[in-house]
Short mmCIF file of all heavy atoms in Angstrom, two decimals:
data_model
loop_
_atom_site.label_atom_id
_atom_site.label_comp_id
_atom_site.label_asym_id
_atom_site.label_seq_id
_atom_site.Cartn_x
_atom_site.Cartn_y
_atom_site.Cartn_z
N GLU A 24 82.30 71.27 77.62
CA GLU A 24 81.60 70.96 78.94
C GLU A 24 82.32 71.27 80.04
O GLU A 24 81.91 71.88 81.06
CB GLU A 24 81.19 69.44 78.93
CG GLU A 24 80.37 68.97 80.22
CD GLU A 24 79.93 67.53 80.17
OE1 GLU A 24 79.88 66.96 79.12
OE2 GLU A 24 79.83 67.00 81.30
N LEU A 25 83.67 70.95 80.11
CA LEU A 25 84.64 71.27 81.13
C LEU A 25 84.83 72.82 81.39
O LEU A 25 84.61 73.31 82.39
CB LEU A 25 86.00 70.62 81.02
CG LEU A 25 86.14 69.15 81.16
CD1 LEU A 25 87.50 68.66 80.75
CD2 LEU A 25 85.87 68.87 82.71
N LEU A 26 84.90 73.45 80.26
CA LEU A 26 84.96 74.89 80.33
C LEU A 26 83.83 75.62 80.91
O LEU A 26 83.87 76.56 81.59
CB LEU A 26 85.42 75.53 79.02
CG LEU A 26 86.73 75.27 78.61
CD1 LEU A 26 86.90 75.67 77.15
CD2 LEU A 26 87.77 75.83 79.51
N GLN A 27 82.66 75.05 80.60
CA GLN A 27 81.33 75.74 81.05
C GLN A 27 81.21 75.40 82.54
O GLN A 27 80.84 76.37 83.20
CB GLN A 27 80.12 75.16 80.29
CG GLN A 27 80.14 75.63 78.89
CD GLN A 27 78.87 75.10 78.13
OE1 GLN A 27 78.21 74.05 78.48
NE2 GLN A 27 78.54 75.51 76.96
N THR A 28 81.56 74.29 82.96
CA THR A 28 81.32 74.05 84.41
C THR A 28 82.37 74.84 85.17
O THR A 28 82.11 75.21 86.27
CB THR A 28 81.49 72.49 84.79
OG1 THR A 28 82.72 72.04 84.25
CG2 THR A 28 80.29 71.76 84.08
N LYS A 29 83.56 75.07 84.66
CA LYS A 29 84.57 75.65 85.30
C LYS A 29 84.27 77.16 85.43
O LYS A 29 84.46 77.80 86.57
CB LYS A 29 86.04 75.58 84.71
CG LYS A 29 87.11 76.13 85.32
CD LYS A 29 88.37 76.06 84.64
CE LYS A 29 89.56 76.61 85.50
NZ LYS A 29 90.76 76.44 84.84
N THR A 30 83.65 77.81 84.48
CA THR A 30 83.27 79.22 84.54
C THR A 30 82.18 79.42 85.48
O THR A 30 82.05 80.38 86.09
CB THR A 30 82.98 79.85 83.27
OG1 THR A 30 82.03 79.09 82.61
CG2 THR A 30 84.25 79.80 82.33
N GLN A 31 81.27 78.37 85.71
CA GLN A 31 80.16 78.43 86.59
C GLN A 31 80.59 78.53 88.04
O GLN A 31 79.93 79.05 88.92
CB GLN A 31 79.10 77.38 86.32
CG GLN A 31 78.45 77.66 84.99
CD GLN A 31 77.53 76.46 84.59
OE1 GLN A 31 77.48 75.45 85.26
NE2 GLN A 31 76.92 76.55 83.52
N ILE A 32 81.73 77.80 88.39
CA ILE A 32 82.22 77.66 89.68
C ILE A 32 83.24 78.84 90.01
O ILE A 32 84.33 78.74 89.54
CB ILE A 32 82.80 76.30 89.93
CG1 ILE A 32 81.86 75.12 89.56
CG2 ILE A 32 83.38 76.12 91.27
CD1 ILE A 32 82.67 73.78 89.53
N THR A 33 82.64 79.84 90.55
CA THR A 33 83.62 80.95 90.97
C THR A 33 83.54 81.11 92.45
O THR A 33 82.44 80.93 92.98
CB THR A 33 83.25 82.27 90.17
OG1 THR A 33 81.80 82.47 90.53
CG2 THR A 33 83.35 82.06 88.73
N LYS A 34 84.61 81.66 92.91
CA LYS A 34 84.60 81.93 94.44
C LYS A 34 83.72 83.25 94.65
O LYS A 34 83.69 84.08 94.00
CB LYS A 34 86.01 82.08 94.86
CG LYS A 34 86.90 80.91 94.76
CD LYS A 34 88.26 81.28 95.08
CE LYS A 34 88.58 81.55 96.58
NZ LYS A 34 89.95 81.70 97.01
N GLN A 35 83.16 83.04 95.78
CA GLN A 35 82.10 84.14 96.19
C GLN A 35 82.97 85.32 96.85
O GLN A 35 82.76 86.46 96.69
CB GLN A 35 81.12 83.69 97.13
CG GLN A 35 80.17 84.71 97.75
CD GLN A 35 79.06 84.35 98.57
OE1 GLN A 35 79.13 83.13 98.93
NE2 GLN A 35 78.17 85.18 99.03
N TRP A 36 83.94 84.97 97.56
CA TRP A 36 84.84 85.85 98.35
C TRP A 36 86.28 85.72 97.75
O TRP A 36 86.84 84.67 97.80
CB TRP A 36 84.80 85.71 99.85
CG TRP A 36 83.43 86.02 100.38
CD1 TRP A 36 82.37 85.18 100.56
CD2 TRP A 36 82.82 87.34 100.61
NE1 TRP A 36 81.20 85.84 101.10
CE2 TRP A 36 81.55 87.23 101.06
CE3 TRP A 36 83.32 88.60 100.53
CZ2 TRP A 36 80.71 88.32 101.30
CZ3 TRP A 36 82.52 89.76 100.85
CH2 TRP A 36 81.38 89.59 101.18
N LEU A 37 86.98 86.79 97.56
CA LEU A 37 88.38 86.77 97.14
C LEU A 37 89.24 87.50 98.19
O LEU A 37 88.82 88.70 98.73
CB LEU A 37 88.52 87.51 95.83
CG LEU A 37 87.67 86.96 94.59
CD1 LEU A 37 87.72 87.88 93.46
CD2 LEU A 37 88.18 85.50 94.17
N LYS A 38 90.49 87.11 98.31
CA LYS A 38 91.34 87.82 99.08
C LYS A 38 92.08 88.93 98.35
O LYS A 38 92.15 88.89 97.10
CB LYS A 38 92.42 86.78 99.77
CG LYS A 38 91.80 85.92 100.72
CD LYS A 38 92.85 85.01 101.33
CE LYS A 38 92.29 83.90 102.34
NZ LYS A 38 93.27 83.07 102.90
N SER A 39 92.86 89.75 99.07
CA SER A 39 93.57 90.83 98.32
C SER A 39 94.40 90.49 97.20
O SER A 39 94.33 90.99 96.07
CB SER A 39 94.35 91.64 99.29
OG SER A 39 93.49 92.27 100.33
N ASN A 40 95.25 89.39 97.37
CA ASN A 40 96.15 89.05 96.28
C ASN A 40 95.37 88.57 95.07
O ASN A 40 95.80 88.71 93.95
CB ASN A 40 97.15 87.94 96.83
CG ASN A 40 96.47 86.63 97.27
OD1 ASN A 40 95.34 86.69 97.66
ND2 ASN A 40 97.43 85.62 97.36
N GLU A 41 94.16 87.87 95.25
CA GLU A 41 93.46 87.36 94.13
C GLU A 41 92.82 88.58 93.52
O GLU A 41 92.82 88.50 92.16
CB GLU A 41 92.48 86.46 94.69
CG GLU A 41 92.86 85.20 95.28
CD GLU A 41 91.79 84.38 96.00
OE1 GLU A 41 91.06 84.95 96.82
OE2 GLU A 41 91.85 83.10 95.81
N VAL A 42 92.32 89.54 94.09
CA VAL A 42 91.78 90.75 93.52
C VAL A 42 92.88 91.57 92.75
O VAL A 42 92.73 91.96 91.60
CB VAL A 42 91.14 91.66 94.48
CG1 VAL A 42 90.63 92.99 93.94
CG2 VAL A 42 89.95 90.94 95.17
N ARG A 43 94.11 91.58 93.21
CA ARG A 43 95.18 92.26 92.54
C ARG A 43 95.45 91.51 91.31
O ARG A 43 95.77 92.21 90.28
CB ARG A 43 96.39 92.42 93.52
CG ARG A 43 96.20 93.33 94.59
CD ARG A 43 97.42 93.79 95.24
NE ARG A 43 98.54 92.85 95.37
CZ ARG A 43 98.71 92.00 96.47
NH1 ARG A 43 97.96 92.11 97.52
NH2 ARG A 43 99.67 91.06 96.39
N LYS A 44 95.54 90.26 91.34
CA LYS A 44 95.81 89.46 90.10
C LYS A 44 94.72 89.62 89.05
O LYS A 44 95.00 89.75 87.88
CB LYS A 44 96.06 87.93 90.48
CG LYS A 44 97.43 87.73 91.21
CD LYS A 44 97.47 86.16 91.45
CE LYS A 44 98.73 85.98 92.23
NZ LYS A 44 98.84 84.38 92.75
#
Side-chain angles (χ1 to χ4, degrees):
E24 183 181 334
L25 283 173
L26 289 174
Q27 286 176 349
T28 56
K29 186 176 181 180
T30 55
Q31 291 172 356
I32 301 170
T33 55
K34 292 174 72 174
Q35 182 179 358
W36 294 97
L37 303 171
K38 292 183 179 179
S39 294
N40 63 338
E41 295 169 315
V42 174
R43 289 196 325 263
K44 286 179 186 177

